[in-house]
């Protein structure tokens, strides 16, 4: 440890390392053999500051891109809430964005002005985390801002602001329930899993009753008790000068949070011995609840040992293994339509949750047994030698997949920074992040199996059933007066930094193969990671028969595995279908790029479906899909797309009933038409040399031959609807809903790269204004999002959506339309400059990862834009004028569609109010 001059008394220079698994592939002609995950060594130098105040600051250098991440962990979460005050920690997190240090602009306004391309916060069982991602020029501003927020999270928060933000949280709770999200369901799972009265058994977000009991004084007491420097860990990662960062900290952190004198010795935050995790007795009968889910859902949960230490690396293996194996339960029970897993972390215990979608829920106990059978089978030993060898083979494949996940996550600067912050905070050891990685890599199969036998036994599984219905949430609370608008402006306003303008500038080599395929090579040095994405034109809107694309994509599988399976090299793969294209993705370590290309070529050329798969879909999945089709939000979305696009292919999304009328031969013909090299664009992005990868591309992708060397037909650009002063209104019933789901949308002229920049700025302007009017001003909503959609062929529309408290539905819908009308009259230069700065910042911080490059380049080519459009986007954003935006807003207002899903009387009243000029 070296001692430095100044008020920061101690700092340590260390190196965080991702240990290599093998030597770099380089230009070898032979691909790595099965089982070899190939990457070079990676290290991140860092400094560890222990402040005299007790604050811990860790700074890590990662100069891949001119971006910095800042994460602050406060050691208090939902388990710190006083009894009867559940949701307090989460509410304080919300209020911290409303704080106004020195009676100046709010924290949220200052974050936007600082250039933060991403800012958010989260509250868990044992912590609250604040996170920002920004161009490197913003580091000093972010450190100052975070220091002021942490030292005074409720600064100048008035009782009126407190009341409004409490309603925002209440609407968050309603929204999560009524849209089928599992926010409230997770509270029931926790209550079933942990003993009554245990802090982990209580809802982190709170309940309507506990939220009503909270006061501003409660929030102040909580902040004073927990927002202390000795209870906070701050981690900074990115393009940081480690020699200069000490001065940045000294100059921008509050003096009291730096402190004077010798650094305080940190008390242990977790006991040296792992405690026995608290678990409730398993209920003799399965509890049944009602919520706005489309079909019954079964939840199984196991209480596991704590997280945040080296031993918790086992949790990753268990979760990934169940993800890979539980699908067998779907095959053995005709009522199971789908399964997913998740892990909730904690310092005293963790919680593994398995969510099971049921088609009918006729026999939930039997379905639970089928899932538990598969959990047992996943870890059961085999006596025969062949079985033992097979189990070891499966473990090694799982180990490769988990280790690759670790490497891929390390590429995501913010995720890595947050993990380091959490582990450092709870272990008080800056080396814990590296140690957890080493523990993960060193696990043996016997340790994982022993863990599963101890903690995943059938008799330790808690189960609850959630059936469709009303949840009994209160539908009315006192309506608050609207807060007066306006706050002090941020000095200097939002700014555009040099790194914002160069984030998308990088060499991209275009290869046109003889079979008609286009391949884009985007080398991005920094971390030994490569991602490969393929896009085939067509998508769910393509096909002569309704439902043929949906069924074909659902039932497609790779027939040939001559080149191996992704698990042989720990590779990650995925696929999805959009309205206008189909995607296939692979990701892994850089030394395995040849394996990725070989398998991608084989997958694209051998994808097919079968009669058995289609029969299985009809028997086991179609009932669940038809239940989903009845969800009010699904019906509303279909109605909206039909109102926007009329008879165009993009107007029609298939139903389960339509899919059920498609034969397997029709689905197979669709696959053969779409999966052709002439209809495919591939992007390879990551750490590689073009001279090494180009021969591999030509070898493994160039040999694919099928069909015409041209893409499938591009949908014609649809005609714009006729202009009208009247709004096209749509209503979808959700009886008794305490919120109305609102969508405002309009068709836009056929898109070009230049117009796409306009449309993105329109969405940014609308989203910010909607936030101020429906959330920060009244608490009537958890928030609204706005985004443009651009499809293959140039079809485009703008949409803005969110949920509003039913008591303010008419007022809220009216204010949203008024916002659109105001922009149709005037877009101020100040608003435009702020929106442009925010978009440039968002773009700059996203392009640090290879998946952002794959996404952007494929998106451009699917839309028919040139490859250069990605690099030119900052210039396109800067070229947009206020007059051009005003013109687009005016056209949008004349083609406006407003959709409300909710209780009939208030919904129709809201629509009636906006249906006439």
């Amino acid at each position: 440890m070296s001692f430095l001059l100044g008020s920061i008394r101690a700092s340590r220079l260390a190196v965080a390392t991702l240990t290599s698994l093998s030597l770099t592939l380089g230009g070898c002609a032979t691909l790595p053999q099965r089982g070899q995950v190939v990457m070079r060594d990676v290290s991140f130098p860092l400094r560890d500051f222990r402040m005299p105040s007790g604050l811990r600051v860790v700074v890590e250098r990662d100069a891949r891109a001119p971006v910095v991440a800042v994460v602050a962990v406060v050691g208090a979460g939902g388990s710190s809430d006083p009894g009867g005050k559940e949701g307090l920690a989460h509410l304080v997190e919300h209020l911290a964005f409303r704080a106004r240090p020195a009676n100046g602009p709010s924290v949220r306004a200052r974050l936007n002005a600082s250039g933060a391309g991403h800012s958010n916060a989260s509250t868990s069982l044992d912590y609250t985390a604040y996170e920002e991602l920004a161009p490197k020029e913003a580091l000093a501003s972010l450190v100052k801002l975070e220091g002021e927020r942490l030292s005074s999270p409720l600064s100048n928060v008035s009782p009126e602001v407190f009341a409004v933000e409490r309603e925002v949280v209440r609407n968050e709770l309603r929204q999560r329930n009524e849209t089928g999200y599992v926010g409230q369901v997770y509270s029931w799972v926790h209550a079933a899993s942990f003993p009554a009265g245990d802090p982990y058994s209580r809802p982190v977000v709170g309940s309507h009753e506990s939220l009503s009991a909270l006061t501003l004084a409660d929030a102040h007491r909580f902040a004073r008790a927990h927002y202390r420097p000795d209870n906070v860990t701050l981690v900074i990662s990115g393009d940081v000068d480690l020699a200069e960062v000490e001065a940045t900290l000294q100059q921008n952190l509050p003096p009291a949070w730096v402190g004077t004198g010798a650094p305080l010795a940190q008390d242990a935050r977790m006991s040296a011995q792992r405690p026995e995790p608290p678990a409730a007795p398993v209920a003799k009968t399965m509890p049944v609840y009602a919520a706005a889910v489309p079909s019954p859902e079964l939840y199984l949960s196991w209480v596991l040992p704590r997280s945040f230490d080296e031993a918790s690396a086992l949790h990753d293996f268990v979760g990934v293994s169940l993800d890979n194996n539980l699908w067998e339960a779907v095959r053995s029970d005709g009522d199971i339509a789908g399964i997913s897993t998740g892990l909730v972390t904690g310092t005293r215990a963790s919680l593994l949750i398995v969510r099971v979608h049921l088609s009918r829920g006729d026999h939930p106990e039997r379905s639970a047994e089928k899932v538990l059978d598969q959990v047992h089978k996943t870890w059961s030993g085999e006596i025969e030698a062949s079985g033992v060898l097979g189990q070891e083979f499966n473990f090694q494949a799982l180990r490769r997949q988990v280790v690759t996940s670790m490497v891929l996550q390390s590429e995501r600067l913010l995720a890595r920074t947050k993990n380091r912050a959490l582990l450092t905070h709870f272990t008080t050891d800056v080396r814990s992040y590296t140690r957890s990685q080493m523990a993960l890599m060193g696990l043996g199969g016997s340790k994982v199996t022993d863990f599963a036998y101890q903690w995943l036994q059938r008799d330790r599984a808690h189960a609850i059933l959630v059936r469709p219905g009303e949840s009994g949430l209160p539908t009315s609370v006192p309506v608050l007066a609207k807060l007066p608008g306006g706050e002090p402006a941020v000095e200097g306003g939002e700014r555009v930094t040099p790194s914002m303008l160069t984030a998308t500038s990088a060499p991209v080599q275009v290869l046109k193969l003889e079979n008609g395929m286009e391949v884009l090579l985007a080398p991005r040095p920094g971390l030994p990671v490569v991602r490969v994405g393929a896009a085939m034109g067509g998508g769910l809107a393509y096909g002569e028969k309704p439902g043929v694309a949906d069924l074909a994509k659902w039932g497609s599988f790779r027939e040939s595995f001559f080149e191996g399976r992704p698990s042989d090299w720990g590779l990650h793969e995925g696929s999805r279908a959009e309205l206008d294209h189909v995607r296939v993705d692979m990701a892994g370590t850089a030394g395995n790029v040849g394996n990725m290309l070989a398998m991608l070529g084989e997958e694209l050329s051998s994808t097919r479906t079968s009669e058995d798969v289609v029969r299985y879909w009809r028997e086991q999945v179609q009932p669940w899909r038809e239940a989903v089709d009845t969800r009010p939000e699904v019906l509303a979305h279909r109605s909206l797309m039909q109102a926007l696009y009329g008879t165009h292919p993009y107007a029609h999304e298939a139903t389960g009933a339509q899919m059920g009328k498609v034969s397997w031969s029709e689905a197979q013909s669709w696959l053969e038409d779409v999966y052709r090299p002439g209809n495919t664009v591939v992007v390879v992005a990551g750490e590689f040399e073009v001279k090494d990868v180009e021969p591999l591309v030509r070898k493994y992708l160039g040999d694919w031959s099928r069909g015409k060397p041209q893409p499938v037909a591009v949908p014609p650009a649809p005609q714009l609807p006729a202009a009208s002063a009247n709004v096209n209104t749509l209503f979808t019933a959700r009886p008794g809903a305490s919120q109305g789901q609102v969508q405002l949308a309009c068709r836009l002229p056929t898109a070009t790269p230049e117009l796409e920049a306009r449309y993105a700025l329109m969405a940014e302007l609308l989203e910010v204004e909607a936030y101020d009017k429906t959330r920060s001003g009244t608490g009537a909503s958890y928030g609204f999002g706005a985004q443009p959609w651009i499809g293959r062929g140039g079809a485009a529309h703008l949409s803005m959506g969110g949920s509003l408290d039913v008591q303010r539905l008419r007022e809220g819908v009216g204010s949203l339309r008024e916002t659109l009308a105001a922009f149709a009259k005037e877009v101020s230069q100040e608003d435009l400059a702020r929106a442009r700065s925010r978009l440039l910042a968002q773009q700059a911080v996203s392009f640090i990862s290879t998946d952002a490059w794959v996404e952007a380049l494929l998106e451009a080519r699917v839309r028919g834009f040139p490859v250069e459009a990605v690099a030119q986007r900052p210039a396109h954003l800067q070229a947009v004028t206020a007059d051009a935006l005003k013109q687009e807003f005016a056209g949008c207002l004349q083609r406006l569609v407003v959709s409300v899903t909710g209780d009939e009387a208030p919904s129709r009243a809201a629509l009636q109010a906006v249906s006439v000029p």
Side-chain angles (χ1 to χ4, degrees):
M1 179 180 293
S2 59
F3 292 89
L4 304 173
L5 298 176
S7 59
I8 301 176
R9 296 296 182 186
S11 169
R12 184 163 50 190
L13 179 64
V15 176
T17 303
L18 288 175
T19 302
S20 68
L21 304 178
S22 181
L23 297 177
T24 306
L25 175 62
C28 297
T30 304
L31 298 184
Q33 297 297 309
R34 284 176 170 83
Q36 292 183 332
V37 179
V38 184
M39 60 176 282
R40 63 173 175 82
D41 281 337
V42 180
S43 61
F44 302 104
L46 56 83
R47 292 186 71 178
D48 177 17
F49 298 96
R50 298 172 185 255
M51 306 295 189
S53 66
L55 175 67
R56 186 78 171 272
V57 182
V58 177
V59 185
E60 173 193 82
R61 177 167 173 77
D62 177 358
R64 286 177 294 145
V67 173
V68 292
V70 177
V71 174
V73 172
V74 180
S79 64
S80 300
D81 292 338
K85 305 283 187 178
E86 291 80 13
L88 181 57
H90 180 236
L91 179 55
V92 170
E93 170 225 305
H94 275 241
L95 292 168
F97 285 88
R98 306 289 292 262
R100 295 173 54 192
N103 208 28
S106 67
V107 167
R108 176 175 173 267
R110 291 174 60 193
L111 281 170
N112 289 333
S114 72
H118 166 88
S119 62
N120 204 353
S122 58
T123 305
S124 189
L125 291 172
D126 297 304
Y127 68 85
T128 303
Y130 298 92
E131 61 186 49
E132 296 89 44
L133 201 57
K136 67 176 184 179
E137 297 92 340
L139 177 59
S141 298
L142 290 179
V143 171
K144 183 177 182 65
L145 175 58
E146 204 59 81
E148 291 179 349
R149 167 163 60 181
L150 293 168
S151 62
S152 188
L154 302 177
S155 177
N156 290 298
V157 171
S158 67
E160 292 78 15
V161 168
F162 172 86
V164 164
E165 201 61 36
R166 183 175 57 184
E167 292 313 300
V168 170
V169 174
R170 196 189 301 278
N171 275 298
E172 179 182 2
L173 183 60
R174 289 180 182 138
Q175 184 171 321
R176 289 183 171 186
N177 179 69
E178 292 184 1
T179 59
Y181 189 69
V182 292
Q184 189 176 14
V185 173
Y186 273 162
S187 299
W188 297 330
V189 172
H190 276 250
S193 305
F194 294 105
D198 188 275
Y200 282 9
S201 71
R202 303 180 303 179
V204 171
V205 181
S207 64
H208 284 278
E209 293 74 20
S210 68
L211 290 174
S212 297
L214 300 181
T215 66
L216 182 56
D218 292 329
H220 277 288
R221 280 190 290 270
F222 187 93
R224 282 195 298 270
H226 300 290
Y227 281 64
R228 313 181 317 268
D230 62 322
N231 195 36
V232 172
T233 300
L234 182 67
V235 176
I236 301 168
S237 301
D239 193 0
V240 182
D241 188 325
L242 293 182
E244 297 179 358
V245 72
E246 180 186 1
T248 301
L249 297 174
Q250 288 179 325
Q251 294 165 11
N252 292 283
L253 287 172
W257 276 57
V258 174
T260 58
L264 294 178
Q266 287 189 315
D267 294 330
R269 295 187 172 117
M270 294 197 303
S271 61
Q273 297 296 321
R274 303 187 94 192
E276 182 73 16
V282 175
K284 295 182 179 179
T285 58
M286 186 182 300
V288 180
Y289 300 91
V293 293
S295 63
E297 295 183 0
L298 174 67
Y299 289 82
L300 302 174
S301 60
W302 288 263
V303 176
L304 306 180
R306 71 185 182 192
S307 304
F308 308 119
D309 58 14
E310 292 178 34
S312 64
L314 287 159
H315 299 168
D316 295 309
F317 270 87
V318 169
V320 172
S321 182
L322 291 180
D323 278 338
N324 291 343
N325 291 284
L326 286 184
W327 65 272
E328 287 283 356
V330 179
R331 298 177 60 181
S332 64
D333 188 317
D335 198 29
I336 299 178
I339 300 180
S340 60
T341 63
L343 181 73
V344 179
T345 58
T347 59
R348 296 168 52 244
S350 306
L351 189 64
L352 177 67
I353 301 175
V354 176
R355 182 183 185 184
V356 184
H357 297 274
L358 303 176
S359 295
R360 296 172 299 276
D362 294 337
H363 44 76
E365 290 81 7
R366 189 179 78 185
S367 297
E369 289 299 317
K370 292 292 185 181
V371 176
L372 293 172
D373 287 344
Q374 192 57 39
V375 171
H376 175 73
K377 183 179 177 182
T378 299
W379 306 107
S380 61
E382 301 284 352
I383 298 177
E384 297 84 359
S386 60
V388 173
L389 290 175
Q391 192 174 38
E392 177 62 20
F393 178 85
N394 290 338
F395 171 76
Q396 292 300 331
L398 177 65
R399 180 174 177 271
R400 290 189 292 270
Q401 188 175 0
V402 171
V403 170
T404 302
S405 295
M406 175 187 73
V407 178
L408 293 173
Q409 186 192 61
S410 295
E411 189 202 20
R412 300 179 184 275
L413 181 64
L414 186 59
R416 189 177 80 235
T417 305
K418 186 172 182 179
N419 279 344
R420 185 181 295 283
L422 289 170
L423 288 167
T424 301
H425 181 82
F426 288 116
T427 65
T428 70
D429 182 359
V430 73
R431 298 165 297 178
S432 58
Y433 180 73
T434 301
R435 286 177 169 174
S436 70
Q437 293 178 325
M438 298 301 294
L440 193 62
M441 294 170 60
L443 282 176
S446 60
K447 280 189 176 181
V448 179
T449 302
D450 290 346
F451 178 89
Y453 272 125
Q454 181 176 359
W455 299 107
L456 297 182
Q457 290 293 338
R458 187 184 300 262
D459 60 4
R460 298 190 75 253
H462 300 84
I464 70 167
L465 179 68
V466 181
R467 291 193 178 278
E470 294 302 319
S471 61
L473 292 176
T475 58
S476 64
V477 293
V479 176
L480 301 175
K482 186 175 181 179
L483 292 177
E487 62 179 68
V490 179
E491 185 176 350
E494 280 88 348
R495 59 193 179 121
V496 175
T497 65
S499 60
M500 292 182 188
L501 302 178
T502 59
T504 61
S505 299
V508 177
Q509 182 162 332
V510 181
L511 306 178
K512 192 69 176 179
L513 306 185
E514 292 183 3
N515 59 9
M517 182 187 296
E518 180 179 272
V519 181
L520 310 180
L521 303 181
R524 296 292 297 159
L527 281 177
V529 168
V530 169
R531 297 179 191 268
V532 181
M536 281 74 71
L540 300 179
Y542 178 73
E544 296 183 2
K545 189 171 185 178
V548 64
D550 296 73
L551 185 66
K553 187 63 189 73
W554 187 94
S556 64
F557 59 88
R558 174 182 167 192
E559 186 175 35
S560 171
F561 291 90
F562 178 79
E563 297 292 350
R565 299 175 184 273
S567 59
D568 294 336
W569 295 275
L571 304 179
H572 289 223
E573 65 172 343
S575 65
R576 69 177 190 265
E578 306 290 348
L579 270 181
D580 58 347
H581 71 281
V582 176
R583 277 281 297 273
V584 176
D585 295 276
M586 287 192 179
T589 52
N592 297 107
V593 61
N595 304 109
M596 283 185 258
L597 293 169
M599 278 187 288
L600 178 65
E602 186 173 52
E603 177 170 349
L604 295 177
S605 62
S606 70
T607 293
R608 64 182 299 267
T609 189
S610 70
E611 287 186 88
D612 288 341
V613 170
V614 172
R615 184 182 308 112
Y616 172 84
W617 186 90
R618 288 175 180 155
E619 292 174 355
Q620 293 200 207
V621 181
Q622 186 173 349
W624 173 81
R625 174 61 187 262
E626 290 181 354
V628 170
D629 287 338
T630 65
R631 294 172 68 169
E633 59 269 24
V634 173
L635 296 173
H637 179 70
R638 286 207 176 98
S639 297
L640 181 66
M641 292 299 288
Q642 289 170 5
L644 290 172
Y645 288 99
T647 60
H648 192 272
Y650 291 153
H652 306 290
E653 298 183 11
T655 65
Q658 290 172 327
M659 293 171 65
K661 297 178 181 178
V662 176
S663 68
W664 81 267
S665 59
E666 290 170 325
Q668 178 65 27
S669 296
W670 186 92
L671 290 171
E672 293 173 358
D673 186 22
V674 170
Y675 281 67
R676 295 187 284 106
N679 189 44
T680 303
V681 178
V682 173
V683 174
V684 185
E687 188 175 77
F688 60 83
E689 295 288 342
V690 171
K691 63 181 178 61
D692 296 329
V693 170
E694 181 175 347
L696 298 173
V697 167
R698 296 190 183 278
K699 177 179 180 180
Y700 293 111
L701 300 182
D703 286 347
W704 180 24
S705 176
R706 178 190 288 169
K708 299 177 293 184
Q710 294 85 30
V712 300
V714 177
Q719 293 274 333
L720 285 176
S724 173
N726 295 322
V727 176
N728 185 359
T729 59
L730 306 172
F731 166 69
T732 305
R734 188 196 293 277
S738 60
Q739 286 181 318
Q741 288 178 263
V742 179
Q743 288 276 339
L744 281 76
C746 65
R747 282 281 314 286
L748 298 169
T750 301
T752 64
E754 295 78 7
L755 287 178
E756 184 277 332
R758 287 191 198 177
Y759 301 160
L761 284 165
M762 292 171 70
E764 182 67 17
L765 287 165
L766 284 173
E767 184 168 312
V768 170
E769 192 67 19
Y771 182 99
D772 291 339
K773 289 193 173 182
T774 65
R775 175 170 170 158
S776 61
T778 65
S781 173
Y782 180 55
F784 270 71
Q787 58 279 318
W789 182 85
I790 299 174
R792 189 166 176 259
H797 70 267
L798 180 68
S799 65
M800 177 169 60
S803 296
L804 287 166
D805 185 333
V806 69
Q807 296 180 96
R808 307 196 84 136
L809 186 57
R810 179 170 178 168
E811 170 194 341
V813 173
S815 70
L816 294 172
R817 185 181 183 278
E818 290 168 4
T819 297
L820 186 58
F823 282 131
K825 293 180 180 178
E826 181 183 9
V827 175
S828 73
Q829 293 295 338
E830 293 78 10
D831 284 343
L832 173 56
R834 285 192 287 265
R836 182 186 288 124
S837 174
R838 289 191 298 268
L839 285 184
L840 287 169
Q842 292 165 19
Q843 181 172 264
V845 302
S846 69
F847 272 76
I848 192 172
S849 64
T850 52
D851 56 343
W853 282 94
V854 172
E855 189 72 29
L857 289 168
L858 284 180
E859 185 178 73
R861 298 305 291 135
V862 166
R863 291 171 171 177
F865 296 172
V867 174
E868 296 76 21
V870 175
Q872 294 167 350
R873 192 168 189 258
H876 291 324
L877 288 169
Q878 289 192 300
V880 176
T881 65
D883 286 340
L885 288 176
K886 184 173 70 172
Q887 178 182 343
E888 297 295 351
F889 276 119
C892 180
L893 189 64
Q894 293 176 331
R895 300 184 291 270
L896 184 61
V897 181
V898 178
S899 167
V900 176
T901 302
D903 198 45
E904 183 165 5
S907 299
R908 290 199 181 278
L911 290 172
Q912 177 64 29
V914 298
S915 62
V916 294

